[in-house]
Amino acid sequence: MKTVLVILTQPNLGALQINESISATMVLATFGSPVKVLLQDTALTLLNSNVEFDKLHQAFKPASNMVESFEFYDLSPVLIESRLQDHPLVKQSQQDIEFIEFDSGFIQSFNYVLYW
């Protein structure tokens, strides 16, 4: 079966795009595609599950709520680059995390890579 790597780079409360990207990732996983999710850059804010939605200041609900349900879609563990293992958001996360070396060999181990 074809394997898919989804690289998320958008912040938790940044825009509707992150919610759509996570939704599309869950759809891929629902239909049986082996999917792995790598969080990079500001997407590490998705690990913060303590964000509360304030409709007066935020246009979109926190995408971190969807990340919390990854285990039900066989999207756990979330992949994080090894160099970021001491990042405060990573250390405080309740998510199942796997640290990886992000290099060409890692990328080539997947049939498809989606970068959002």
Side-chain angles (χ1 to χ4, degrees), residues 70-82:
F70 273 11
E71 64 183 296
F72 302 112
Y73 293 86
D74 291 328
L75 292 171
S76 287
V78 174
L79 304 178
I80 304 288
E81 293 178 65
S82 294

Side-chain angles (χ1 to χ4, degrees), residues 39 47 76-81 85 89-100:
L39 302 182
L47 296 173
S76 287
V78 174
L79 304 178
I80 304 288
E81 293 178 65
Q85 64 188 7
L89 289 171
V90 174
K91 284 184 149 186
Q92 296 171 4
S93 175
Q94 300 297 317
Q95 286 290 333
D96 185 17
I97 295 174
E98 179 181 338
F99 296 104
I100 54 99

Side-chain angles (χ1 to χ4, degrees), residues 46-110:
L46 293 167
L47 296 173
N48 184 3
S49 59
N50 296 325
V51 176
E52 292 188 27
F53 177 65
D54 181 358
K55 66 181 177 184
L56 296 176
H57 295 102
Q58 301 158 341
F60 308 104
K61 291 188 177 182
S64 57
N65 293 347
M66 292 192 296
V67 173
E68 287 180 1
S69 66
F70 273 11
E71 64 183 296
F72 302 112
Y73 293 86
D74 291 328
L75 292 171
S76 287
V78 174
L79 304 178
I80 304 288
E81 293 178 65
S82 294
R83 66 181 178 85
L84 298 171
Q85 64 188 7
D86 291 327
H87 190 283
L89 289 171
V90 174
K91 284 184 149 186
Q92 296 171 4
S93 175
Q94 300 297 317
Q95 286 290 333
D96 185 17
I97 295 174
E98 179 181 338
F99 296 104
I100 54 99
E101 293 300 323
F102 187 67
D103 55 19
S104 61
F106 175 75
I107 294 287
Q108 291 175 358
S109 68
F110 294 90

Side-chain angles (χ1 to χ4, degrees), residues 32-46:
S33 296
V35 179
K36 292 288 186 179
V37 178
L38 172 65
L39 302 182
Q40 288 185 328
D41 304 327
T42 57
L44 290 178
T45 59
L46 293 167

